[in-house]
Amino acid sequence: MSAHNFVVSGFADEIGPGLETQLDVLGALGIDHLDLRGVEDTNVLDLSDKQIERVAGALEERGIGVTSIGSPIGKIDVTGDFEPHFERFETALEMAKTFDTEYIRLFSYYIPDDDDPDDYREEVLRRMRAKVDRAEEAGVTLLHENEKDIYGDTPERCRDLLTTIDSPNFRATFDPANFLEVGITAYPDALLDVIEYVEQLHIKDATLGERGEIVPAGEGDGRIPEMLAALKARSFEGTVSLEPRLVVAGPRSGYSGPVGYEVAAEALFSCLESVHATYE
């Protein structure tokens, strides 16, 4: 077992679609939390009542908690129809209650190609405020993830969203590889811009640039150990969540397979242990 005091979670659908396989691998790795995004090739927001009952039962039996609902909310064009998307967001709130988690991961809308994101600032803020207001009513915290081609794909625009909305129910998921993909140095530059808002760190490392390669934690330009150390120095109490995408890195989900996921987990544990040793 690893020597560290971070809470480790992971997107288990990267292991494979089958629930039992997902939970078997997490158990073998000593990971007792997951970010619920997909089961049996079905997005969490599209699970049937029967699937929900089965997943909830299996998680309780295995003693695995749900860190967040890994929703795709906000992964639509900013010019798209908001009302049906807001209804889908209501489903995310229901899933958070069902699986007893306070967090929902979401995004800040794709910007049309060649358009200036700043032209859509007010519309993005309007949509995000509506969801944050509803999250406050429901007692849920929304975690905005930086992602390529959405409004919040730079640390400056992420910070603008967080400071302008200014709600304890709206915080950040920090994905270093996603910043690296758009040519931004994840650490120290991007992290220090938003560090006081970060409540979850996605563990996906990469080499810098649009054609960068996704690699295990500590092998890319993400400076994962230094990032973990900076968060630990601030008494970070959030979760580090494996999202390695070592085999497939798609816009909607990723895949590492059981073997790749184990490689990614061991790389993360090594980074965590190096931080633990530094502070002992």
Side-chain angles (χ1 to χ4, degrees):
M1 297 295 291
S2 299
H4 61 80
N5 56 2
F6 286 87
V7 176
V8 177
S9 184
F11 286 80
D13 55 347
E14 285 210 19
I15 296 167
L19 178 63
E20 296 304 319
T21 299
Q22 292 180 15
L23 301 186
D24 285 346
V25 171
L26 290 179
L29 293 169
I31 298 174
D32 59 5
H33 289 77
L34 61 75
D35 295 85
L36 188 56
R37 180 174 58 193
V39 177
E40 297 167 353
D41 293 321
T42 304
N43 184 271
V44 60
L45 303 190
D46 299 315
L47 294 173
S48 67
D49 290 344
K50 185 175 181 180
Q51 286 175 312
I52 290 170
E53 183 178 358
R54 178 169 173 254
V55 172
L59 292 175
E60 183 177 3
E61 181 180 346
R62 301 282 191 116
I64 294 179
V66 175
T67 299
S68 74
I69 301 301
S71 86
I73 296 298
K75 277 195 171 186
I76 65 167
D77 195 295
V78 69
T79 62
D81 193 350
F82 180 59
E83 293 309 316
H85 199 61
F86 191 81
E87 291 175 10
R88 190 158 171 78
F89 171 66
E90 290 284 354
T91 300
L93 292 174
E94 292 173 11
M95 290 298 100
K97 181 177 180 180
T98 296
F99 289 102
D100 192 26
T101 178
E102 66 176 295
Y103 293 116
I104 296 172
R105 184 274 308 266
L106 81 174
F107 304 86
S108 55
Y109 299 95
Y110 289 118
I111 303 302
D113 291 345
D114 301 322
D115 283 4
D116 185 347
D118 290 340
D119 292 341
Y120 297 92
R121 177 179 183 272
E122 292 306 316
E123 178 60 16
V124 170
L125 282 168
R126 182 186 75 83
R127 293 178 178 220
M128 300 302 284
R129 276 198 187 99
K131 286 177 286 191
V132 172
D133 288 346
R134 183 68 185 89
E136 289 175 348
E137 294 174 2
V140 170
T141 299
L142 307 182
L143 298 179
H144 174 265
E145 179 181 347
N146 57 289
E147 170 111 348
K148 182 180 179 181
D149 295 330
I150 65 171
Y151 178 82
D153 65 356
T154 67
E156 295 81 10
R157 286 196 291 270
C158 288
R159 185 172 184 85
D160 178 40
L161 289 173
L162 293 160
T163 57
T164 302
I165 293 176
D166 189 26
S167 168
N169 295 74
F170 186 47
R171 289 294 185 260
T173 286
F174 189 92
D175 190 310
N178 288 352
F179 278 128
L180 291 166
E181 188 178 11
V182 297
I184 294 171
T185 302
Y187 181 83
D189 299 357
L191 181 63
L192 297 186
D193 270 350
V194 297
I195 192 167
E196 69 268 35
Y197 294 97
V198 174
E199 293 200 13
Q200 185 181 52
L201 179 65
H202 280 184
I203 302 299
K204 180 164 85 253
D205 205 350
T207 54
L208 184 63
E210 186 175 353
R211 299 180 182 277
E213 179 187 3
I214 301 293
V215 294
E219 297 182 17
D221 294 315
R223 299 181 64 186
I224 301 295
E226 293 95 328
M227 194 174 296
L228 291 165
L231 289 167
K232 185 177 177 67
R234 292 179 62 91
S235 301
F236 177 72
E237 295 181 352
T239 305
V240 293
S241 292
L242 271 172
E243 194 190 17
R245 300 194 172 191
L246 293 183
V247 176
V248 176
R252 298 291 177 180
S253 63
Y255 179 74
S256 297
V259 174
Y261 206 85
E262 182 176 355
V263 169
E266 294 301 332
L268 169 59
F269 294 152
S270 178
C271 292
L272 292 169
E273 288 165 1
S274 71
V275 174
H276 180 77
T278 299
Y279 278 81
E280 281 297 288

